Amino acid sequence: MTIKEYVALRKEEIKNLVATLTQKPSIAIVQVNEDAGSTAYVRGKLKDAEELGIKAELIKLPLTTTQAELLKVIDELNNDNVHDGFIVQMPLPKGIDEELIKLSISPKKDVDGFHPLSSLVACTPKGILNYLKHEQVPLLGKNAVIIGRSNIVGKPMARLLLKESMNVTILHSKTTQEDMANFIARADVIVIAIGKAAFLDNRFTYKKDATIVDVGINRTEQGLIGDALANLPVKLQTPVPGGVGLLTRLALYENLLEIKGVTK
Ligand code: NAP
């Protein structure tokens, strides 16, 4: 099933579930930027909420917002009884420490799952794993190669795949091209999140039954391009656009339902 079909199916399930709830789940989205990419994400998240019957409030703050002012808004959201969860859309204006902001969100309301004490999994890795399982991609005892070691994708993805008993290797900018090629040639599942357009291409060899999960989003003159060249000679490759971004959006609302104590 394509990601689009899978997401449509899951959305229908979530919508039906939400329809049975007397108290609808409620989310707040805090945006402190004018960034075109962020605005598009936020629009997508609001559209999803509407489709699912979830209440969503956009709190748009001016670019002049200081760290202290943002922390005050977060404190209010941490303690209100209105929203089950909230997110602060990145990036934030210069002068605001993004790591500090992520840590100031109560783990109880951290729908993004970024807080180290959060019981929730970060949305991108969560969405990816659910899709791989749905597609019955063999994981146990198989070789996973994760390229990129960010706190929001690479590292949590590695932890999740390790939990699935995969043999997990994380590669990064200090990995030599020779090692990169060797690890890739033996990989059953490759997750790439580095932000380099078409980095995975035909200079590498792949197992023909490998799966490539392309997390990268690169805005180029040719449009939106992933970290992997399209149509590599593997069994399954997620597209960009219409791929991991949709899974991430879906996982946000799966996390919100988890906070509310409602699942599937
Ligand atoms: P990030 O914080 O931008 O970090 C990039 C990572 O890639 C770092 O670990 C870096 O290594 C590694 N890297 C950079 N160049 C490399 C190279 N030539 N070879 C190997 N590794 C290299 O990562 P991120 O926030 O996870 O974002 C990565 C990409 O995913 C971006 O395009 C972002 O837009 C996209 N993304 C998409 C979604 C979605 O929902 N679709 C969600 C999140 C992110 P070092 O640690 O050594 O510097």
Side-chain angles (χ1 to χ4, degrees):
M1 191 180 279
T2 65
I3 288 182
K4 274 194 179 145
E5 290 164 343
Y6 164 76
V7 169
L9 184 82
R10 279 294 294 140
K11 273 186 165 175
E12 201 54 34
E13 287 171 5
I14 294 174
K15 192 171 128 188
N16 292 339
L17 177 67
V18 170
T20 66
L21 303 174
T22 39
Q23 254 207 331
K24 303 298 176 209
S26 164
I27 189 174
I29 300 175
V30 181
Q31 187 183 0
V32 204
N33 63 45
E34 299 285 346
D35 183 64
S38 290
T39 302
Y41 290 138
V42 169
R43 214 182 304 121
K45 286 167 188 170
L46 293 172
K47 184 172 149 273
D48 289 343
E50 197 181 336
E51 270 178 50
L52 299 172
I54 286 169
K55 286 191 262 177
E57 182 190 353
L58 174 61
I59 302 175
K60 195 124 197 281
L61 300 177
L63 284 176
T64 50
T65 304
T66 63
Q67 182 165 292
E69 287 165 342
L70 180 56
L71 285 171
K72 191 160 173 285
V73 172
I74 291 174
D75 187 51
E76 282 162 15
L77 288 166
N78 278 339
N79 294 301
D80 76 11
N81 292 320
V82 180
H83 304 97
D84 298 294
F86 68 96
I87 63 168
V88 176
Q89 182 69 45
M90 303 292 159
L92 295 172
K94 279 203 181 78
I96 302 187
D97 180 345
E98 292 190 352
E99 291 312 307
L100 178 93
I101 294 302
K102 283 180 197 162
L103 290 176
S104 68
I105 299 173
S106 161
K108 288 194 191 123
K109 291 204 169 181
D110 175 31
V111 208
D112 264 330
F114 289 162
H115 198 289
L117 296 179
S118 176
S119 61
L120 300 167
V121 176
C123 296
T124 303
K126 177 185 178 122
I128 291 171
L129 180 63
N130 286 347
Y131 178 65
L132 292 178
K133 283 186 170 174
H134 183 267
E135 290 306 298
Q136 298 180 341
V137 172
L139 302 177
L140 190 136
K142 300 287 184 187
N143 298 335
V145 167
I146 296 162
I147 313 176
R149 54 176 164 177
S150 70
N151 289 332
I152 62 165
V153 186
K155 284 185 202 140
M157 189 79 246
R159 279 194 292 276
L160 277 192
L161 294 181
L162 194 58
K163 247 198 206 157
E164 297 299 318
S165 296
M166 296 196 79
N167 317 315
V168 178
T169 307
I170 307 184
L171 309 180
H172 43 73
S173 69
K174 307 291 182 286
T175 307
T176 66
Q177 286 304 294
E178 189 190 352
D179 283 338
M180 181 86 67
N182 287 334
F183 281 116
I184 288 171
R186 299 207 320 256
D188 299 297
V189 173
I190 300 169
V191 179
I192 182 157
I194 66 173
K196 297 265 177 302
F199 178 86
L200 286 184
D201 60 11
N202 291 311
R203 75 186 188 284
F204 296 109
T205 53
Y206 306 90
K207 279 188 168 180
K208 66 177 184 329
D209 58 354
T211 295
I212 295 177
V213 178
D214 189 351
V215 184
I217 298 174
N218 306 289
R219 285 166 214 283
T220 71
E221 280 173 6
Q222 291 86 49
L224 222 55
I225 289 183
D227 285 348
L229 193 68
N231 301 315
L232 289 171
V234 293
K235 187 166 180 197
L236 174 66
Q237 178 177 354
T238 66
V240 176
V244 172
L246 297 179
L247 298 175
T248 303
R249 270 163 60 177
L250 177 69
L252 183 73
Y253 291 109
E254 290 176 332
N255 270 350
L256 185 69
L257 289 178
E258 232 175 288
I259 289 181
K260 228 177 146 45
V262 198
T263 35
K264 307 263 144 69

